[in-house]
Amino acid sequence: MTANTCKQIILAKRPVGMPTEEDLKMVEAPIPQPGEGEVLVRSMYVSVDPYMRGRMNDRKSYVAPYTVGEVITGGVVGEVVESNTAELQAGDIVLGHYGWRTHAVVAGNQLKKIDPTVAPVSTALGILGMTGLTAYFGLLDIGQPKEGETVVVSGAAGAVGTVVGQIAKIKGCRVVGIAGSKDKVRYLVEELGFDAAINYKEADRKAQLKAACPNGVDVYFDNVGGEISDEVLALLNRQARVVVCGQIALYNLEKPDVGPRMQSQLLITSSMMKGFTLGDYAGRLDEGVAQLAQWFKEGRLTYSENIVEGFENIVPAFLGLFSGENVGKQLVRLA
Amino acid sequence: MTANTCKQIILAKRPVGMPTEEDLKMVEAPIPQPGEGEVLVRSMYVSVDPYMRGRMNDRKSYVAPYTVGEVITGGVVGEVVESNTAELQAGDIVLGHYGWRTHAVVAGNQLKKIDPTVAPVSTALGILGMTGLTAYFGLLDIGQPKEGETVVVSGAAGAVGTVVGQIAKIKGCRVVGIAGSKDKVRYLVEELGFDAAINYKEADRKAQLKAACPNGVDVYFDNVGGEISDEVLALLNRQARVVVCGQIALYNLEKPDVGPRMQSQLLITSSMMKGFTLGDYAGRLDEGVAQLAQWFKEGRLTYSENIVEGFENIVPAFLGLFSGENVGKQLVRLA
């Protein structure tokens, strides 16, 4: 990389199953000069998120597919190097959505200035950003948890799950997490105050789940999908709410995901299941950030990040999401 | 049957798959004298409904299972023969829930007097009763149809489906029915004013469905379940609503119902799916009856009944529900 080039990762071809380095290629490109109204940003933290896998397919979804040959876009926190807008100055820390690049030139109005005194700036990608907001709106608006109810969350140790569980505790619920290792289970219960957590890889998980939900399940916040979700749905109480936030178990499947159809279960229990994306709440993001920041200041909400170093580790960190390597928000820090 | 005995049908044993006459047995029993506060009723119309199949299983559901050895309960319209309550007199027409019997002695407060001047009394079991109310609350409260939206209803020619489609037309929607014969398709379009209807038994049903929904599906009112529902779900628009009212295709299955899990589809479209039963609206039944009766008086809502004659035809009429023999509400009229 010369002084005038940056690194970026493009979608070289659409993956079948788990993406490879053939699909996601690192390329160098010149850094353009920022024009009028534009800003040159140097990336500090790059976000890798499960939803990006869906965008790599050529299929209608809640966000348009990535175009082959183009840079993978997504959240980034960076520092302004040069600015041609009055609103931003060199040295400002900003949130952008320009994706997997070391540098980018973007319109100033596509960047949001971050106040580094509220919390570490990386939280703009996590607890005070997309994943925190996803947990906030999904749980509160769709899940509607009430004091004393049982909330189960899958992918509980992930960026969204850790926040869902903590908000459910704030709301006075019994919170049960589902995660993929003993360490995660311990973390959820001991560090985050979950009432119970189970390791879905254990043979008796079904019995563990039932034991952890002696009064059934009122809210299921599903980040994962697949068989473990079938087992949670079997425990739904009357008028339960199922929040479908993600289906990470399925994103790399090459065959259709088949299992028991759950309409009967929803019918028997008069329960509701709803999918959503943060875009559905575009008009309410400030409300969410304000409430999350307030809880954070009060010490009622903590966060964890799994940070790997170096641009060349973006793809491995992204793939690690699907093998459950992260606890909390997965980020890549650039030098 | 002597003057002092009545006929009744009991659950002799729990069916596996489609019920047989071994499972549902006709027996005679003495007619007790009505005590204080009680009423002797002679049945005129007996209702047979798909949900009864679920109650024949020994499994938690939205209503308790029938007890082996007891009479199959369900809606009946009858005439008061003898009354020991001030509120009812011999000759009054009443709605009861005492089930498959020629006569019954029941507490007066378990009967609802019917005004025969509003509509034929049999409608208290259909359009102005359980099935009409089920259509009304399911479609309007859960489906929330808006003018110009596309509403698809399965089991469209059945007791609930015919009302769902007509209410959706009143609300200004494009209405597409799914039914099981050419005659039903013709009836829905020509008699009830559906915009389109398809026969799910035809080989190109998927293409027909797509053609009938050029703007996708905003509300799916599902009485049937199974593969045809998978095909409708594939056409959901953003923020669509799926009302799970029944799953008649499955009630006699001996194996678990397996198919594509639909969480991904709900996620991609931010759609909602909810099961319900009329019991969820117990506090609002009068509102529903009043509105349905109003539409009926205005000529905006019509009804159809499929009436078979004779107590001995109750079980065949019930089984006919699962082979789709009825158009509209299936009733048995007693001599």
Side-chain angles (χ1 to χ4, degrees):
Chain A
M1 190 163 71
T2 70
N4 291 326
T5 63
C6 70
K7 291 181 197 163
Q8 49 194 34
I9 295 169
I10 62 164
L11 180 66
K13 61 185 183 65
R14 299 200 184 279
V16 176
M18 193 68 79
T20 66
E21 305 217 339
E22 299 293 294
D23 305 321
L24 300 170
K25 274 197 175 149
M26 192 164 79
V27 297
E28 295 202 1
I31 303 177
Q33 278 296 311
E36 187 54 35
E38 290 184 330
V39 177
L40 171 61
V41 188
R42 178 186 67 78
S43 305
M44 299 165 65
Y45 293 95
V46 171
S47 185
V48 295
D49 297 278
Y51 80 87
M52 294 171 162
R53 179 63 188 86
R55 296 192 65 187
M56 293 173 189
N57 296 331
D58 186 15
R59 182 182 152 197
K60 183 180 87 170
S61 181
Y62 49 85
V63 278
Y66 293 125
T67 303
V68 172
E70 292 198 353
V71 175
I72 301 293
T73 55
V76 185
V77 165
E79 183 183 3
V80 173
V81 177
E82 191 181 337
S83 172
N84 290 331
T85 79
E87 291 75 25
L88 292 170
Q89 303 178 18
D92 281 348
I93 309 297
V94 291
L95 173 68
H97 204 75
Y98 59 77
W100 295 358
R101 320 179 192 218
T102 55
H103 300 74
V105 168
V106 286
N109 61 15
Q110 298 298 304
L111 298 169
K112 192 179 159 197
K113 193 171 165 180
I114 297 170
D115 178 355
T117 65
V118 174
V121 297
S122 60
T123 59
L125 295 168
I127 186 117
L128 301 183
M130 191 191 73
T131 52
L133 290 164
T134 297
Y136 177 87
F137 288 110
L139 179 65
L140 298 183
D141 197 67
I142 302 174
Q144 302 265 347
K146 289 165 201 68
E147 195 175 337
E149 287 190 330
T150 298
V151 175
V152 174
V153 54
S154 63
V160 174
T162 49
V163 185
V164 168
Q166 292 180 84
I167 297 176
K169 285 307 299 176
I170 290 171
K171 295 294 175 182
C173 298
R174 174 175 178 80
V175 177
V176 177
I178 301 172
S181 75
K182 276 205 166 84
D183 282 348
K184 288 179 180 176
V185 162
R186 193 179 309 121
Y187 169 74
L188 293 172
V189 173
E190 292 178 12
E191 304 288 320
L192 295 188
F194 281 43
D195 296 282
I198 68 161
N199 177 358
Y200 73 85
K201 293 176 180 167
E202 291 178 3
D204 64 340
R205 72 180 190 191
K206 204 167 168 177
Q208 285 189 43
L209 183 65
K210 202 166 178 183
C213 304
N215 301 316
V217 176
D218 300 293
V219 178
Y220 176 41
F221 194 107
D222 185 13
N223 292 304
V224 169
E227 278 182 29
I228 186 78
S229 289
D230 299 339
E231 293 166 15
V232 178
L233 294 175
L235 301 177
L236 292 185
N237 288 331
R238 282 195 63 71
Q239 302 280 5
R241 288 81 66 197
V242 180
V243 186
V244 184
C245 177
Q247 296 278 285
I248 196 170
L250 320 179
Y251 294 166
N252 293 296
L253 285 186
E254 297 176 36
K255 292 184 209 167
D257 170 44
V258 167
R261 289 196 186 87
M262 84 282 293
Q263 282 99 327
S264 294
Q265 188 60 14
L266 299 180
L267 180 57
I268 286 169
T269 59
S270 286
S271 291
M272 187 273 285
M273 174 181 278
K274 187 178 184 316
F276 81 107
T277 175
L278 188 53
D280 303 342
Y281 298 94
R284 292 176 57 191
L285 299 184
D286 289 347
E287 164 204 330
V289 171
Q291 178 63 79
L292 290 164
Q294 179 66 27
W295 282 329
F296 177 72
K297 272 186 256 173
E298 292 168 2
R300 304 176 77 185
L301 202 57
T302 183
Y303 70 96
S304 62
E305 294 170 338
N306 200 47
I307 297 181
V308 300
E309 304 283 342
F311 191 85
E312 67 283 6
N313 283 318
I314 289 179
V315 173
F318 172 66
L319 297 177
L321 294 170
F322 302 103
S323 48
E325 289 177 14
N326 56 307
V327 167
K329 175 64 188 166
Q330 179 67 55
L331 294 172
V332 179
R333 183 159 47 203
L334 306 193
Chain B
M1 188 164 73
T2 70
N4 290 326
T5 63
C6 69
K7 290 181 196 163
Q8 50 193 36
I9 295 169
I10 63 164
L11 181 67
K13 63 187 183 64
R14 299 199 184 280
V16 177
M18 192 68 79
T20 66
E21 303 217 341
E22 299 293 295
D23 304 321
L24 299 170
K25 274 200 174 144
M26 192 165 80
V27 297
E28 294 203 1
I31 302 177
Q33 279 296 311
E36 187 55 34
E38 290 184 331
V39 176
L40 171 62
V41 188
R42 178 184 67 78
S43 305
M44 299 165 66
Y45 294 95
V46 170
S47 184
V48 295
D49 297 278
Y51 80 88
M52 294 170 162
R53 179 63 188 84
R55 296 192 65 186
M56 294 174 189
N57 296 331
D58 186 17
R59 181 182 153 199
K60 182 179 88 169
S61 182
Y62 49 84
V63 278
Y66 292 126
T67 304
V68 172
E70 292 198 354
V71 175
I72 302 294
T73 55
V76 185
V77 165
E79 182 185 5
V80 173
V81 176
E82 191 181 338
S83 172
N84 289 332
T85 78
E87 291 75 24
L88 292 170
Q89 302 178 19
D92 282 348
I93 307 299
V94 291
L95 173 69
H97 204 74
Y98 58 78
W100 295 358
R101 319 178 193 220
T102 56
H103 300 75
V105 168
V106 285
N109 62 14
Q110 297 297 305
L111 298 169
K112 193 180 157 197
K113 193 170 163 180
I114 296 170
D115 178 355
T117 66
V118 174
V121 298
S122 59
T123 59
L125 294 168
I127 187 117
L128 302 183
M130 191 190 75
T131 53
L133 290 164
T134 297
Y136 177 86
F137 288 111
L139 179 65
L140 298 182
D141 197 68
I142 302 174
Q144 303 264 347
K146 289 165 202 68
E147 195 175 336
E149 287 190 330
T150 298
V151 175
V152 174
V153 53
S154 63
V160 174
T162 49
V163 185
V164 168
Q166 291 181 83
I167 298 177
K169 284 307 298 175
I170 290 171
K171 295 294 175 182
C173 298
R174 174 176 177 81
V175 177
V176 177
I178 301 172
S181 75
K182 276 206 166 83
D183 282 348
K184 287 179 180 175
V185 162
R186 194 179 309 121
Y187 170 75
L188 293 172
V189 174
E190 292 178 10
E191 304 288 321
L192 295 188
F194 281 44
D195 296 283
I198 68 160
N199 176 358
Y200 73 85
K201 293 177 180 168
E202 291 177 4
D204 64 339
R205 71 180 192 193
K206 205 168 167 176
Q208 285 189 44
L209 183 65
K210 204 167 176 181
C213 304
N215 301 316
V217 176
D218 301 294
V219 178
Y220 176 40
F221 193 106
D222 185 13
N223 291 303
V224 169
E227 277 182 30
I228 187 78
S229 289
D230 300 339
E231 293 166 15
V232 179
L233 294 175
L235 301 177
L236 292 185
N237 288 331
R238 283 196 62 73
Q239 302 281 4
R241 290 79 68 196
V242 180
V243 186
V244 185
C245 177
Q247 296 279 283
I248 196 170
L250 319 178
Y251 294 166
N252 294 296
L253 285 188
E254 296 176 37
K255 292 183 209 168
D257 170 44
V258 168
R261 290 195 186 87
M262 83 282 292
Q263 282 99 327
S264 294
Q265 188 58 14
L266 299 180
L267 180 56
I268 286 170
T269 60
S270 287
S271 292
M272 187 271 286
M273 174 182 277
K274 187 177 184 313
F276 82 107
T277 176
L278 189 53
D280 302 342
Y281 298 94
R284 292 176 57 192
L285 299 184
D286 289 347
E287 164 204 331
V289 170
Q291 179 63 79
L292 290 165
Q294 178 67 27
W295 282 329
F296 177 72
K297 272 186 257 173
E298 293 168 3
R300 304 176 77 185
L301 203 56
T302 182
Y303 69 96
S304 61
E305 293 170 338
N306 201 48
I307 297 182
V308 300
E309 304 284 342
F311 192 85
E312 68 283 5
N313 283 319
I314 289 179
V315 173
F318 172 66
L319 296 179
L321 295 170
F322 302 103
S323 48
E325 289 177 12
N326 56 307
V327 167
K329 176 64 188 167
Q330 179 67 56
L331 295 172
V332 180
R333 182 159 48 203
L334 307 193

